[in-house]
Amino acid sequence: MPPHPEWTAAMFPDEVWEHVFSFLPSDADRNVAAASCHAWLRIERRSRRRVFVGNCYAVAPAVAVARFPEARAVEVKGKPHFADFDLVPGDWGGGADEWVAAMAEGWPQLEELRFKRMVVSDDCLEVIARSFRNFRVLGLAFCEGFSTAGLAAVAANCRNLRVLDLQENVIEDNCSHWLSHFPESFTSLVHLNIACLPGEVNVPVLERLVSRCTNLKTLKLNHAVPLEKLVILLRKAPQLVDLGTGRFSGEHHLDLYSKLESAFTGYKSLKSLSGTWEAVPAYLPAVYSVCEGLTSLNLSYATTQNPELIKLVSRCKSLQRLWVMDFIEDDGLAAVASSCKLLQELRVFPSDPYGPQPVSLTERGLVAISAGCPMLHSVLYFCNQMTNAALIAIALNRPNLTRFRLCIIEPQTPDYLTLQPLDAGFSAIVESCKDLRRLSVSGLLTDRVFKSIGAYADRLEMLSVAFAGDSDAGLHYILSGCKSLRKLEIRDCPFGDKPLLANAAKLETMRSLWMSSCSLTLGACKLLARKMPRLNVEIIDERRGASWDSRPDDCPVEKLYVYRTVAGPRSDTPSCVWTV
Amino acid sequence: MEAILDNFKFKAARALTELTLGPPGVIAPEKSSVVGQKCNKRALPEKNDGATSPVAKAQVVGWPPVRAYRMNSFRARKGEVDDDGCGIYVKVSMDGAPYLRKVDLKAYNGYKELRGALEDMFKCCSLGGEEGYDESEYAITYEDKDGDWMLVGDVPWGMFISSCKRMRIMKGSEARGLSSSA
């Protein structure tokens, strides 16, 4: 008779198991351990220090806090990804108040807090500022709902703050002197990212802050800081590893260029450069001295074109990450392919998404990069044309791709040489890139591509589909395949009720499903909700019309968001959301 | 010295002083320069006759999938003239021309664009054919912050625009010594 698992667990003191669990690389592994017996559940939950909540509505805040009483670091995500593209109404939800209240109550030892795509109020920031004695890291990404007054509270009260990372939030500026709220005795800052701040920055105050925080490694300024002020700040912080400049232009001073150049010459440790809004090309050579050591370069807000752009990027021989606008063109990407052999991640953004397209960036640029950069594994590429041949070449060149997001700007664009759908190209990608975890498809696509994706994309975790497919079969292929799928987001595809209902169980193995402008009806959503009690089936109706209770089953559903949850239907649904 | 046909043939001088990406002798492709405009320097391509030009498309919500944050910076850029408001305006005189001009040095990406703009600007004032000049003899010079007159094109562009106080296009005998086509 095999020994009872409880006996085995009891053979070692809890601290030994805690130590063992600390080697488990992921939360998923810890979850599995916790599920194997009561003793391990008890030990694991008491020893988990980092908690990740991928969907803020998947669990009630108080429950999460109670489950992991010793948490020191937490990340919570709110709105669906398509909220970034204005597809989710502003009042949909994702409020952080209940989370902050529960954490303040149950996790007084909390050190790190990150929110992504959530609505964070100034009240939340006040509570955060006062509740956690050892608070060190605050990260807010793609959030909204707060102002610089809230930041002032954080500055004034978080005595040991190391990281204040504000990434692309929408912030109201009503307290322009918030930086002054960091006391003179405050010196612990290591990372300050204020790039998204809308208003003016008090540079002398920032200067003093930067001077006294001698461990500062990351400083990302906002658009309001011009070059002449950057020069002053650079002199105060020569130890920076990660710099986000403000706008790369300024009032014309005779010596500005040489001052800028000599400021950068002192920068021995700089690894990452970003910001550079409206980069006046004339000033870019001033950064040449740091290019050799850069591993990350984000020029995606710089309006610089070739040849200045190529000149800059080709000097960056150690580059691992490059974000750039399509001004780089195919020529520039060819230069990158021959200069930047360590490149791992490339993102090319469109400079003029709605206008005529004078920029010469095509599939050739991406093929060149895929051929020349052996370590490339992550791609985001906006362009106007593509061919199956190019995609096949990319697939064969780079079987190590883990993230591949291609956006051909005009929906349903075919292979421009053969006028065929791009099924063959994307099929090659999923067949060749066995570790692909994230994929966004675009262009003209039939159900065939989804058959390939379903069959081959075993490790795929996130799939984004727009203006693609012919019929229900497309969605069925995805949901019945894609073993590792966690997030699926679909818009403007002819997918209907049948595949959704046929694969209802699959949805509980995933974090969430978004479908908008497809062919869904109310009846199917009701059936789904009835079949799967542990899913929240949300119909989002921006017209906020008659109650969904009274509508007929064949009423079309414009936007659907389905996610698994142990918390039941949420209590904060606005008028545009109906939980079926 | 070769005879050069048109007025203000900058090209010979340009070939020697031009900062290009390739090795000497490789001509970088022409980009049309736009005088005096400060927004996106890239000229729009001519519409092909007969090609179906896209009518202003109804913009699909949320497509292409670019975050609002980034979109807002596109819109700001499209609407802007020069939003930091501080161009570098310098006077440009040309020997024999009845009046001076002013150019904004920040409107140009480099020497090639500047020369192209000056060529356009002073075409109407050229003294082509008169007084027995060889029309190819010209030089663009500038006064730097030390008060010295320098030949345009020797120093990196950034250094040039931060030290240039005014420019002068020299013609005739004075220019012969300086002209770099010699």
Side-chain angles (χ1 to χ4, degrees):
Chain A
M1 182 174 109
H4 194 287
E6 300 275 10
W7 297 355
T8 319
M11 281 161 66
F12 297 107
D14 288 0
E15 294 75 31
V16 174
W17 289 118
E18 278 181 25
H19 188 63
V20 169
F21 294 151
S22 70
F23 290 100
L24 291 173
S26 72
D27 282 355
D29 296 325
R30 291 186 74 112
N31 292 344
V32 169
S36 45
C37 68
H38 286 298
W40 278 16
L41 172 62
R42 173 176 50 80
I43 297 165
E44 194 283 316
R45 59 176 276 262
R46 287 195 174 285
S47 62
R48 192 181 299 206
R49 292 279 185 272
R50 309 199 78 91
V51 176
F52 172 74
V53 181
N55 174 1
C56 64
Y57 291 120
V59 61
V63 169
V65 169
R67 163 94 184 224
F68 301 110
E70 300 301 322
R72 296 284 182 272
V74 64
E75 177 175 4
V76 185
K77 298 186 178 181
K79 299 187 193 181
H81 175 234
F82 273 179
D84 287 357
F85 315 126
D86 293 331
L87 290 178
V88 178
D91 59 346
W92 172 84
D97 298 82
E98 215 189 315
W99 279 96
V100 171
M103 292 185 213
E105 172 80 32
W107 285 340
Q109 304 295 329
L110 191 67
E111 296 174 4
E112 298 183 21
L113 173 54
R114 293 182 190 278
F115 283 132
K116 184 171 181 180
R117 279 193 206 96
M118 293 191 68
V119 180
V120 180
S121 62
D122 281 345
D123 283 344
C124 286
L125 293 179
E126 296 261 353
V127 172
I128 291 167
R130 292 174 206 286
S131 306
F132 309 115
R133 224 169 11 95
N134 278 339
F135 199 65
R136 291 171 187 218
V137 172
L138 179 62
L140 300 172
F142 317 124
C143 295
E144 56 179 348
F146 62 102
S147 73
T148 39
L151 294 178
V154 172
N157 294 292
C158 299
R159 295 294 155 92
N160 296 311
L161 195 69
R162 302 252 195 291
V163 172
L164 180 60
D165 186 14
L166 304 172
Q167 190 192 338
E168 284 185 55
N169 303 289
V170 175
I171 305 177
E172 195 197 320
D173 186 25
N174 55 9
C175 177
S176 49
H177 295 294
W178 71 276
L179 274 176
S180 319
H181 289 246
F182 282 111
E184 284 302 313
S185 56
F186 173 83
T187 57
S188 49
L189 212 53
V190 171
H191 176 124
L192 180 64
N193 175 4
I194 53 171
C196 63
L197 236 63
E200 292 298 319
V201 167
N202 187 326
V203 176
V205 169
L206 182 57
E207 229 188 295
R208 284 199 295 282
L209 181 65
V210 165
S211 300
R212 64 182 188 271
C213 294
T214 51
N215 289 322
L216 193 68
K217 293 283 186 289
T218 297
L219 178 64
K220 296 189 184 179
L221 304 168
N222 75 342
H223 183 272
V225 180
L227 277 180
E228 56 267 19
K229 303 282 198 269
L230 175 68
V231 168
I232 299 170
L233 290 165
L234 287 180
R235 288 204 209 105
K236 303 283 180 193
Q239 77 284 3
L240 287 183
V241 170
D242 184 351
L243 172 68
T245 71
R247 69 174 182 279
F248 219 69
S249 58
E251 254 188 59
H252 168 55
H253 290 308
L254 284 181
D255 288 325
L256 181 55
Y257 179 84
S258 39
K259 281 187 189 144
L260 192 61
E261 193 181 34
S262 64
F264 274 104
T265 312
Y267 261 75
K268 307 285 176 234
S269 328
L270 200 67
K271 290 261 167 280
S272 173
L273 185 63
S274 59
T276 65
W277 287 279
E278 299 150 31
V280 171
Y283 293 119
L284 282 180
V287 310
Y288 282 179
S289 57
V290 295
C291 286
E292 193 76 31
L294 285 182
T295 56
S296 170
L297 181 60
N298 181 353
L299 291 171
S300 63
Y301 292 100
T303 48
T304 318
Q305 298 174 28
N306 293 336
E308 290 76 17
L309 187 53
I310 298 183
K311 278 184 200 171
L312 179 63
V313 179
S314 1
R315 285 170 174 259
C316 303
K317 310 251 186 270
S318 314
L319 217 54
Q320 294 172 19
R321 177 162 70 171
L322 175 63
W323 291 22
V324 75
M325 280 213 267
D326 55 10
F327 293 131
I328 190 95
E329 299 190 330
D330 290 339
D331 286 347
L333 290 177
V336 170
S338 62
S339 314
C340 308
K341 292 303 188 186
L342 302 178
L343 195 69
Q344 297 180 21
E345 177 182 330
L346 174 70
R347 295 195 190 187
V348 181
F349 295 94
S351 54
D352 194 4
Y354 297 123
Q357 305 290 344
V359 173
S360 175
L361 180 98
T362 70
E363 77 282 4
R364 285 192 286 277
L366 189 55
V367 172
I369 292 279
S370 73
C373 302
M375 299 172 67
L376 184 77
H377 67 84
S378 174
V379 171
L380 169 64
Y381 200 77
F382 284 83
C383 62
N384 291 295
Q385 63 184 53
M386 188 51 58
T387 62
N388 282 309
L391 284 170
I392 292 168
I394 292 163
L396 294 176
N397 286 337
R398 290 278 65 77
N400 51 325
L401 285 175
T402 57
R403 289 177 181 80
F404 187 71
R405 292 191 279 166
L406 178 68
C407 178
I408 304 167
I409 292 179
E410 181 67 30
Q412 301 177 326
T413 305
D415 177 324
Y416 75 94
L417 291 178
T418 65
L419 299 183
Q420 294 297 302
L422 291 171
D423 296 339
F426 280 106
S427 297
I429 294 278
V430 292
E431 285 178 55
S432 170
C433 306
K434 309 234 181 293
D435 283 327
L436 197 68
R437 294 203 299 273
R438 185 166 181 184
L439 177 66
S440 298
V441 297
S442 58
L444 183 65
L445 295 167
T446 72
D447 289 342
R448 275 197 302 276
V449 73
F450 300 113
K451 190 168 187 193
S452 302
I453 294 174
Y456 290 105
D458 284 344
R459 300 254 168 91
L460 193 67
E461 296 177 1
M462 182 168 178
L463 177 63
S464 308
V465 183
F467 304 102
D470 312 307
S471 74
D472 286 349
L475 181 56
H476 180 69
Y477 287 135
I478 300 171
L479 290 177
S480 58
C482 293
K483 297 191 191 116
S484 311
L485 197 63
R486 294 209 263 118
K487 287 184 283 184
L488 178 59
E489 47 186 25
I490 299 173
R491 62 165 295 175
D492 293 276
C493 297
F495 299 150
D497 300 333
K498 286 208 209 70
L500 196 62
L501 291 171
N503 294 284
K506 170 78 168 182
L507 298 180
E508 218 181 275
T509 68
M510 292 164 50
R511 184 187 298 171
S512 65
L513 166 69
W514 170 279
M515 285 179 71
S516 58
S517 306
C518 298
S519 309
L520 299 172
T521 65
L522 176 58
C525 297
K526 283 171 157 175
L527 265 173
L528 180 64
R530 208 173 308 142
K531 241 176 130 172
M532 308 292 301
R534 281 193 298 206
L535 294 180
N536 275 355
V537 177
E538 293 189 3
I539 291 176
I540 296 168
D541 175 16
E542 279 165 292
R543 276 161 301 177
R544 298 157 207 265
S547 160
W548 282 83
D549 275 320
S550 51
R551 298 197 200 189
D553 277 359
D554 62 357
C555 183
V557 169
E558 179 63 19
K559 292 184 182 177
L560 177 73
Y561 186 50
V562 179
Y563 54 90
R564 68 180 176 190
T565 178
V566 295
R570 55 186 174 114
S571 52
D572 63 351
T573 45
S575 56
C576 59
V577 174
W578 188 61
T579 308
V580 182
Chain B
M1 194 158 54
E2 295 173 17
I4 302 173
L5 296 174
D6 300 344
N7 284 336
F8 278 117
K9 281 306 168 193
F10 291 93
K11 291 185 176 65
R14 189 178 63 205
L16 287 169
T17 60
E18 176 74 327
L19 303 173
T20 59
L21 192 59
V26 173
I27 309 293
E30 285 281 3
K31 285 193 180 136
S32 46
S33 58
V34 181
V35 175
Q37 287 188 21
K38 300 178 204 88
C39 53
N40 189 344
K41 314 308 179 317
R42 186 172 299 281
L44 296 180
E46 301 290 283
K47 287 229 164 69
N48 293 326
D49 290 334
T52 47
S53 51
V55 171
K57 301 176 263 242
Q59 287 176 14
V60 179
V61 173
W63 192 264
V66 176
R67 281 206 184 93
Y69 188 77
R70 202 172 278 283
M71 281 303 197
N72 291 339
S73 64
F74 296 147
R75 289 190 195 115
R77 200 164 16 94
K78 286 190 85 80
E80 87 191 3
V81 170
D82 185 353
D83 92 336
D84 74 15
C86 302
I88 305 173
Y89 283 93
V90 299
K91 289 185 191 171
V92 186
S93 60
M94 193 180 98
D95 294 352
Y99 47 78
L100 277 62
R101 299 295 301 269
K102 261 202 165 164
V103 292
D104 174 10
L105 294 179
K106 279 174 82 175
Y108 310 110
N109 277 332
Y111 289 115
K112 187 167 58 178
E113 276 191 34
L114 174 64
R115 287 178 206 274
L118 292 177
E119 179 179 278
D120 288 341
M121 210 179 245
F122 284 95
K123 242 193 286 248
C124 53
C125 306
S126 84
L127 303 170
E130 298 171 30
E131 304 185 51
Y133 281 165
D134 183 334
E135 291 143 5
S136 63
E137 288 174 0
Y138 60 86
I140 311 179
T141 61
Y142 71 102
E143 185 185 359
D144 73 0
K145 56 188 188 318
D146 299 324
D148 298 322
W149 284 91
M150 319 282 293
L151 186 67
V152 163
D154 286 339
V155 301
W157 177 253
M159 199 181 288
F160 164 68
I161 70 173
S162 68
S163 55
C164 170
K165 281 164 57 181
R166 54 193 296 169
M167 289 195 283
R168 175 182 162 203
I169 302 172
M170 291 175 166
K171 290 198 79 172
S173 52
E174 275 187 282
R176 263 183 221 117
L178 286 174
S179 171
S180 37
S181 58

